[in-house]
Amino acid sequence: MLSGRRLDLLDPSPFDIEIEDIAHGLARVARWNGQTIGEHAFSVAQHSVVVEEIVAHIRPGIAPKWRLAALLHDASEYVIGDMISPFKAALGVSYKDFEARLEHAIHIRFGLPAKNPVEIKKLIKEADKACAFFEATQLAGFSEEEALGFFGAPPPAYDLHITPLSAPEAQARYVERYRTLAEAMGTVAGADAWHTE
């Protein structure tokens, strides 16, 4: 990793995970395999910030830790990239196990339970699909009817206009959002204790 950390992909340690590495990687991973309109790809980092915002819209007053879980919902992709769901399924259980181990390490690193409760997992999935609806119709050439068929309708009274950011902008926004949520959780000072150099 650019931070100097060496992450063992088969046995990832929370001690080797840094938010800056996640943000850097996700800001350079394109949603839709880059098949979107605009000067910049729509990055997983920007997508994650939007999903966190949608979670807060659907469930006003939700605890900051669950908003952080939403921000980190695709964090494993900083190492393994973004794969479409059918391809993940085709790779089978071993891929899912690998992804789950990495997600657990990320969660532990940032003060979250290793696995999200089922209710939170469903909420994040709902927000993820809502974001995908807007991405599909505004960036990826889907008609509204097609997007509704794949992702369902976005939450009532929520609207979004997407302008893909450059990688440095998406990276900065992701880190900024993380710091705001970590501060709200009271974990910013504790997070610094993970730095050993």
Side-chain angles (χ1 to χ4, degrees), residues 19-101:
I19 196 66
E20 293 81 5
D21 291 330
I22 293 172
H24 181 89
L26 295 185
R28 288 154 180 82
V29 175
R31 294 271 296 165
W32 305 91
N33 291 326
Q35 298 299 308
T36 53
I37 62 169
E39 183 180 351
H40 303 290
F42 187 66
S43 71
V44 174
Q46 187 175 356
H47 162 82
S48 298
V49 170
V50 173
V51 168
E52 183 262 325
E53 178 185 289
I54 296 172
V55 161
H57 173 83
I58 296 170
R59 186 88 53 87
I62 191 168
K65 73 176 182 178
W66 302 130
R67 291 181 70 164
L68 180 58
L71 183 71
L72 295 170
H73 81 283
D74 280 337
S76 63
E77 294 179 9
Y78 90 104
V79 174
I80 58 179
D82 185 23
M83 288 190 219
I84 58 173
S85 296
F87 190 58
K88 285 182 183 180
L91 290 174
V93 175
S94 59
Y95 174 84
K96 290 183 180 184
D97 288 345
F98 171 77
E99 185 178 38
R101 278 195 301 274

Side-chain angles (χ1 to χ4, degrees), residues 52-192:
E52 183 262 325
E53 178 185 289
I54 296 172
V55 161
H57 173 83
I58 296 170
R59 186 88 53 87
I62 191 168
K65 73 176 182 178
W66 302 130
R67 291 181 70 164
L68 180 58
L71 183 71
L72 295 170
H73 81 283
D74 280 337
S76 63
E77 294 179 9
Y78 90 104
V79 174
I80 58 179
D82 185 23
M83 288 190 219
I84 58 173
S85 296
F87 190 58
K88 285 182 183 180
L91 290 174
V93 175
S94 59
Y95 174 84
K96 290 183 180 184
D97 288 345
F98 171 77
E99 185 178 38
R101 278 195 301 274
L102 186 53
E103 286 175 352
H104 293 173
I106 291 167
H107 275 214
I108 291 166
R109 166 63 177 90
F110 297 110
L112 298 170
K115 289 177 75 172
N116 286 326
V118 172
E119 176 190 357
I120 297 301
K121 194 171 181 174
K122 286 181 180 175
L123 174 63
I124 293 170
K125 190 65 180 170
E126 181 183 352
D128 193 33
K129 288 172 104 175
C131 189
F133 171 88
F134 291 111
E135 294 169 29
T137 54
Q138 294 178 31
L139 304 175
F142 282 56
S143 70
E144 190 166 314
E145 185 179 351
E146 283 178 301
L148 285 169
F150 281 106
F151 309 112
Y158 184 83
D159 195 21
L160 174 68
H161 178 74
I162 300 173
T163 302
L165 302 173
S166 69
E169 289 174 304
Q171 179 177 341
R173 195 165 292 181
Y174 190 93
V175 170
E176 178 187 344
R177 199 68 206 121
Y178 162 75
R179 292 196 191 290
T180 299
L181 293 169
E183 189 175 316
M185 288 172 61
T187 59
V188 171
D192 290 340

